[in-house]
Amino acid sequence: MRYLIISDIHGNLDALEACLADALGLYDQILCLGDLVGYGADPNAVVDWCRANANFVIRGNHDKAVAGIGETEDFNDQAASSVTWTTSQLSPENLSYLRALPAGPVRVNGFTAVHGSPSDEDEYILSGVDAMRAFTWHSGTLTFFGHTHVQGGFLWKSRYAHPISPLRPNQDARDFPLQPDTAYLINPGSIGQPRDHDPRAAYALYDSDQKLLTYRRVEYDVAKAQRRILASGLPEKLALRLSRGL
Ligand code: ZN
């Protein structure tokens, strides 16, 4: 089975459409790792699309906040105001859909999907130390995660003295055949608000028969997404950061 792995769309329809066009014909099923909404100007269109097309979807912290689940006190001012705005925009059906989304970890065809980390859906896996904790907590060999908006991940070769290595895709290395005796934490990156200094939308493909992981980046009309954010009355900073990939 060939999977399209997407995360952190954040209401950015322009970025989502560019990724779907880029991935056309390259996948059989769609896995979304959460944060469908928040920050971006098109939450209804993105949720409509997920409802109609995604085979597996788990919730992110923004989906929870918008749906009135959990705390938002760790949200900064822009995130909090985008939660309020997004809640006011979403149709009752889309709000109900977000409220009913399952929390990770969810098992899919031999791998695991989480938003933050396997032990806590709101936790960020940013460093090797974070990854070590996640690997030891979770015995699965392949886990997809999001939340950090950083494309890449970590691999763990448990027999080695220094078992954790970062996985950093770049222009020359986008395809990673998964090795036996190695565990993987894989982040496809963010569709709608990348934070790894590359403004292009990010996603991943995973072929479970070939055991092949492919990272991809796609240019999209950032200016259009920015204009939509500004026209909607969302904070200007949410538009500005898109062109810097931060
Ligand atoms: Zn996010």
Side-chain angles (χ1 to χ4, degrees):
M1 187 71 75
R2 299 169 308 160
Y3 295 92
L4 171 65
I5 318 276
I6 57 177
S7 190
D8 298 280
I9 307 168
H10 282 293
N12 188 337
L13 185 64
D14 303 293
L16 176 63
E17 286 178 340
C19 287
L20 294 172
D22 184 68
L24 196 66
L26 301 179
Y27 63 89
D28 308 303
Q29 293 200 330
I30 299 169
L31 168 65
C32 175
L33 303 172
D35 276 1
L36 285 58
V37 301
Y39 300 132
D42 289 280
N44 275 308
V46 169
V47 177
D48 287 344
W49 177 84
C50 281
R51 288 173 63 186
N53 296 288
N55 302 86
F56 308 93
V57 185
I58 56 173
R59 70 187 188 186
N61 52 318
H62 284 258
D63 306 321
K64 277 199 297 182
V66 162
I69 303 166
E71 310 292 330
T72 55
E73 53 206 29
D74 56 337
F75 279 51
N76 63 33
D77 289 350
Q78 298 139 42
S81 60
S82 87
V83 166
T84 307
W85 180 86
T86 303
T87 305
S88 75
Q89 298 294 309
L90 282 171
S91 68
E93 296 77 20
N94 283 344
L95 271 175
S96 305
Y97 173 80
L98 292 182
R99 204 168 287 132
L101 283 178
V106 165
R107 289 289 289 171
V108 179
N109 189 17
F111 58 84
T112 303
V114 302
H115 182 65
S117 86
S119 59
D120 181 346
E121 61 184 338
D122 295 334
E123 191 173 280
Y124 291 89
I125 302 176
L126 283 162
S127 67
V129 173
D130 301 335
M132 187 76 226
R133 201 180 310 123
F135 277 126
T136 49
W137 192 88
H138 182 62
S139 58
T141 55
L142 175 59
T143 299
F144 290 99
F145 72 102
H147 197 35
T148 63
H149 300 207
V150 176
Q151 191 178 54
F154 299 88
L155 54 87
W156 183 32
K157 291 177 181 276
S158 56
R159 293 186 201 150
Y160 286 59
H162 300 286
I164 303 275
S165 323
L167 201 59
R168 291 202 191 96
N170 59 43
Q171 218 74 319
D172 305 316
R174 298 190 321 169
D175 293 335
F176 294 87
L178 301 192
Q179 307 296 326
D181 299 328
T182 305
Y184 293 87
L185 280 165
I186 300 298
N187 191 327
S190 169
I191 297 270
Q193 194 197 75
R195 293 179 194 161
D196 45 12
H197 305 271
D198 183 344
R200 294 176 300 166
Y203 72 94
L205 297 164
Y206 173 59
D207 186 324
S208 61
D209 299 322
Q210 307 288 328
K211 298 273 183 270
L212 178 67
L213 170 75
T214 304
Y215 290 102
R216 294 177 78 102
R217 298 301 284 239
V218 187
E219 306 240 9
Y220 74 98
D221 194 341
V222 173
K224 192 172 164 196
Q226 290 174 316
R227 283 197 299 274
R228 291 195 210 225
I229 287 173
L230 295 174
S232 69
L234 283 161
E236 187 187 23
K237 277 190 177 170
L238 297 179
L240 294 176
R241 66 190 299 177
L242 292 183
S243 44
R244 294 159 53 218
L246 282 174

